[in-house]
Amino acid sequence: MGTDMLIPQLGVPVVEGELPDGWWGAYDADTHTITLLPKLAYIQWNSTLYHELGHAYYRHEGNCVKQERQASVWAARRLIKASDFIDANRLYHSTQEVAHYLSVMPEDVDTYISTLSPAEIVLMQQLIGKEYAC
């Protein structure tokens, strides 16, 4: 589901604004608003938006490792389709190349891989035709 449907479904406004150093985006639970850093490259913007939408989906308050992981998993599973992941891995060998092909951040690829079940890993290895270190 694209952001054009997710944003209204979640009822979360998305605005651009200043953020603490090193942050590309933030979800504010009090206002149920996502703020993105202005002038991000498309892939950074999209990846960050999906991550923050994950926080909005779960209505996270505060900041902890568990919530960051949950938002990252939510984002990766929506940004990357299994069939596209398989196609990318048939063509490319590095996480960077796969991420570029999928128009996502390398961290999204790593997160996606980390969520695969043992059965999914075996199936993907068979479909891709190579071992994928997970």
Side-chain angles (χ1 to χ4, degrees), residues 103-131:
S103 295
V104 300
M105 298 294 295
E107 296 82 12
D108 298 321
V109 173
D110 290 338
T111 299
Y112 181 81
I113 292 168
S114 75
T115 68
L116 297 174
S117 70
E120 287 174 314
I121 292 169
V122 169
L123 178 61
M124 292 227 181
Q125 287 172 342
Q126 291 170 346
L127 293 171
I128 293 167
K130 67 177 179 181
E131 287 228 359

Side-chain angles (χ1 to χ4, degrees), residues 27-70:
Y27 169 67
D28 184 333
D30 293 335
T31 62
H32 192 56
T33 302
I34 292 171
T35 303
L36 297 175
L37 191 64
K39 299 181 183 176
L40 290 174
Y42 171 75
I43 291 173
Q44 294 169 317
W45 183 90
N46 200 45
S47 179
T48 303
L49 175 61
Y50 269 85
H51 177 86
E52 299 307 331
L53 285 168
H55 286 301
Y57 177 81
Y58 291 110
R59 297 282 182 141
H60 286 156
E61 294 183 20
N63 183 352
C64 70
V65 172
K66 181 180 176 183
Q67 290 178 348
E68 290 303 316
R69 170 75 179 158
Q70 194 175 37

